[in-house]
Amino acid sequence: MEEAKEGKKGIGLFGLIGMVVSSCIGSGAFAISGQLSQVAAPGSALIAWLIVGVGFLALALSLNNLGAQRPDLPGIFSYAQEGFGPFAGFVSGWGYWLSAWLGNVAFATMMMSTVGYFFPAFLAGNTVPCIAISSVVMWLLTIFVIRGVESASVLNAVVMVCKVASLAVFVVFSVFMFDAGVFTSDFWGTLYNNAVAAGQAGADAVSLGDVTQQIMNCFIIMFWVFVGIEGATVMSSRAERKSDVGKATVIGLACLLAIYIGCSVLPYGYMPYTEIASLDYPAMVYIFEDMAPGWGGAFISGAIIISILGSWLSFTMLPAETTSEMAASKLLPASWGKLNSKGAPQLSLVVVGACTQAFLIVLLVSEDAYDFAYSMCTVAIVITWALAAAYQVKSAHEAKQGVQLAIGLVATVFLVVGVVFNGWSYLLLTCVGYIPGFVVYVQGRRSEGLSLGAVDKAGIAVITALGVLALVLLAMGVITL
């Protein structure tokens, strides 16, 4: 009876898979070949994909299990709240909220860089004309979502088909043009490192380092392309059937791994990775232009723009959905969860738009706007993922489920180690984003007649101190934008 009631108007399995795949495949899938080639040789990249694949499989299985065991919980932040209290729930939800709109900033800069294929003046991605056009697109998408979330999710699923098809074309070309000799010519980066040491790789060339260093340098790049893996979980309250949420996450992950490995590793067998590393962003445009002269670059550029618009649409819905659920859980003021006549949290959407707009302006002074935006986005969401995985560990331990406990431990350790060793500076900067959030959190608790406990006060003090430290290091030049 409950399922029938939910099924009257909700997102089905295909739509949920669309949320996972389309949320993840944005700019990263098209840029990853160029980004990985700057930090890792083919052998190291393959090992990194193996580690990341296992880690994200553990996360997907954890989300699947939590969704099955606790279908009553509304969204991904609620796992932290249920397991570790309201403050942990706020930290998780606010981190997700920060991540989503920071992801929109990364989409904006990459979209403009892609337009630069046709109009070179836009290649930088963060000039005044780029920011102006991105702002118009961002507000149009916001208005679209305000008019109805379910209708937007249907369009998102359609966009998913378009971008997966374009990536499939690239992979097919890469398979047929694959040259094992090119792929294995410097499999571990030894020749390149020797060339750098001998001064034969150019004055600005930097050694890739040993295999371990190369693998670690891949992590933030690879984490970024999985931002959105929790898309079905976040939208679970709007699912036609709650049982489809876990299935959508695991199926989506399998599709994504196949796509990403194909798009990032196969080009190493067409063009030496040192040449790929020197291409403009996004590298796939220029690789495919070389594979299919005359039309390849334009084809991929069009696909990237459609892909980014689809992910941008998803990342406009997801943070608003999260803040709406947080308001219902008394972690934010009730106004953040108020729905308009179309069932969309209008205030939250407008706030997300305003924050995105402000950060787009800040990017005018960034040396590498895309790298900075996606790194901030990735680190923020790892906080949410890690808290969900930690709840998987806790709940499995209490239920004496050994396999689920192991899965949760793998996911938690993988996420924490990956971000601490490869993104500590961005982790500190993320703490700055929590400071204004604490004001809203306190307002939300007080509006419900709830006071702050010792954990709340200690957590606010520690994160605020880390945020201040980040600002000091930024002023000193230790951390750069």
Side-chain angles (χ1 to χ4, degrees):
M1 190 70 179
E2 182 65 25
E3 298 230 340
K5 183 179 179 181
E6 289 181 352
K8 287 182 179 179
K9 189 176 183 181
I11 305 173
L13 177 61
F14 182 72
L16 291 170
I17 295 172
M19 287 299 303
V20 174
V21 176
S22 194
S23 295
C24 290
I25 299 179
S27 57
F30 298 92
I32 194 168
S33 54
Q35 291 177 296
L36 288 183
S37 65
Q38 294 173 358
V39 299
S44 303
L46 283 172
I47 295 175
W49 273 123
L50 176 62
I51 296 171
V52 169
V54 171
F56 275 98
L57 177 60
L59 176 61
L61 291 174
S62 295
L63 294 176
N64 184 19
N65 179 62
L66 291 174
Q69 298 296 323
R70 296 299 306 270
D72 56 306
L73 298 179
I76 192 168
F77 77 91
S78 59
Y79 298 142
Q81 182 180 13
E82 182 70 16
F84 311 106
F87 184 73
F90 169 78
V91 169
S92 175
W94 195 258
Y96 186 82
W97 182 80
L98 286 172
S99 173
W101 63 261
L102 285 168
N104 288 343
V105 175
F107 296 147
T109 57
M110 180 56 73
M111 186 176 72
M112 289 297 98
S113 293
T114 303
V115 171
Y117 173 80
F118 303 102
F119 307 100
F122 292 97
L123 268 174
N126 65 332
T127 60
V128 173
C130 291
I131 300 304
I133 294 173
S134 298
S135 299
V136 171
V137 173
M138 181 268 295
W139 285 113
L140 286 175
L141 287 173
T142 300
I143 292 170
F144 180 69
V145 176
I146 285 175
R147 293 176 61 85
V149 176
E150 269 86 5
S151 61
S153 71
V154 172
L155 177 59
N156 196 50
V158 174
V159 172
M160 174 195 70
V161 174
C162 296
K163 59 177 142 184
V164 170
S166 63
L167 290 171
V169 171
F170 177 79
V171 169
V172 169
F173 269 71
S174 298
V175 168
F176 280 102
M177 296 186 173
F178 186 85
D179 185 331
V182 174
F183 187 73
T184 59
S185 61
D186 190 14
F187 196 65
W188 300 111
T190 306
L191 297 179
Y192 177 75
N193 286 341
N194 291 341
V196 171
Q200 300 171 348
D204 299 326
V206 179
S207 174
L208 297 175
D210 59 21
V211 172
T212 301
Q213 183 178 341
Q214 292 178 48
I215 292 170
M216 292 301 296
N217 288 340
C218 289
F219 279 179
I220 289 294
I221 297 171
M222 291 180 175
F223 277 25
W224 160 238
V225 296
F226 286 105
V227 172
I229 192 68
E230 72 299 320
T233 305
V234 174
M235 300 298 288
S236 62
S237 64
R238 296 177 181 269
E240 184 177 346
R241 290 178 298 275
K242 288 292 184 69
S243 59
D244 285 343
V245 173
K247 296 177 187 176
T249 302
V250 175
I251 293 171
L253 174 66
C255 295
L256 289 167
L257 280 172
I259 292 168
Y260 290 154
I261 294 174
C263 289
S264 64
V265 176
L266 288 175
Y268 283 176
Y270 173 74
M271 184 182 294
Y273 71 91
T274 51
E275 291 184 23
I276 296 175
S278 65
L279 298 175
D280 288 327
Y281 277 0
M284 187 182 289
V285 170
Y286 303 96
I287 295 172
F288 202 55
E289 175 66 24
D290 197 69
M291 289 180 174
W295 65 274
F299 173 77
I300 293 296
S301 295
I304 291 174
I305 293 172
I306 293 173
S307 174
I308 287 177
L309 288 174
S311 287
W312 203 339
L313 175 61
S314 294
F315 275 61
T316 301
M317 291 189 287
L318 295 177
E321 187 72 12
T322 296
T323 51
S324 178
E325 297 290 354
M326 289 175 70
S329 298
K330 302 179 181 180
L331 300 179
L332 292 177
S335 57
W336 284 64
K338 187 177 180 180
L339 304 181
N340 62 15
S341 60
K342 299 291 186 180
Q346 185 166 321
L347 173 63
S348 182
L349 286 164
V350 171
V351 171
V352 167
C355 290
T356 306
Q357 182 68 78
F359 209 82
L360 281 171
I361 295 172
V362 170
L363 287 188
L364 289 170
V365 299
S366 175
E367 294 182 5
D368 193 331
Y370 178 69
D371 280 0
F372 178 70
Y374 88 72
S375 297
M376 287 290 293
C377 166
T378 303
V379 169
I381 203 168
V382 167
I383 296 170
T384 305
W385 288 341
L387 284 168
Y391 178 56
Q392 161 84 351
V393 172
K394 180 181 179 182
S395 61
H397 175 70
E398 292 173 348
K400 302 186 185 305
Q401 298 173 328
V403 174
Q404 294 297 336
L405 175 62
I407 291 172
L409 281 172
V410 169
T412 305
V413 172
F414 163 71
L415 293 168
V416 172
V417 171
V419 77
V420 168
F421 281 90
N422 199 226
W424 67 268
S425 60
Y426 298 110
L427 189 59
L428 285 178
L429 286 172
T430 301
C431 292
V432 178
Y434 274 94
I435 296 174
F438 291 143
V439 176
V440 184
Y441 174 66
V442 172
Q443 289 176 345
R445 301 299 283 173
R446 288 179 176 172
S447 67
E448 297 292 337
L450 302 170
S451 59
L452 297 182
V455 173
D456 300 271
K457 294 176 181 178
I460 290 173
V462 170
I463 295 175
T464 300
L466 291 173
V468 171
L469 174 62
L471 293 175
V472 171
L473 294 177
L474 187 63
M476 294 172 61
V478 177
I479 296 177
T480 58
L481 297 182

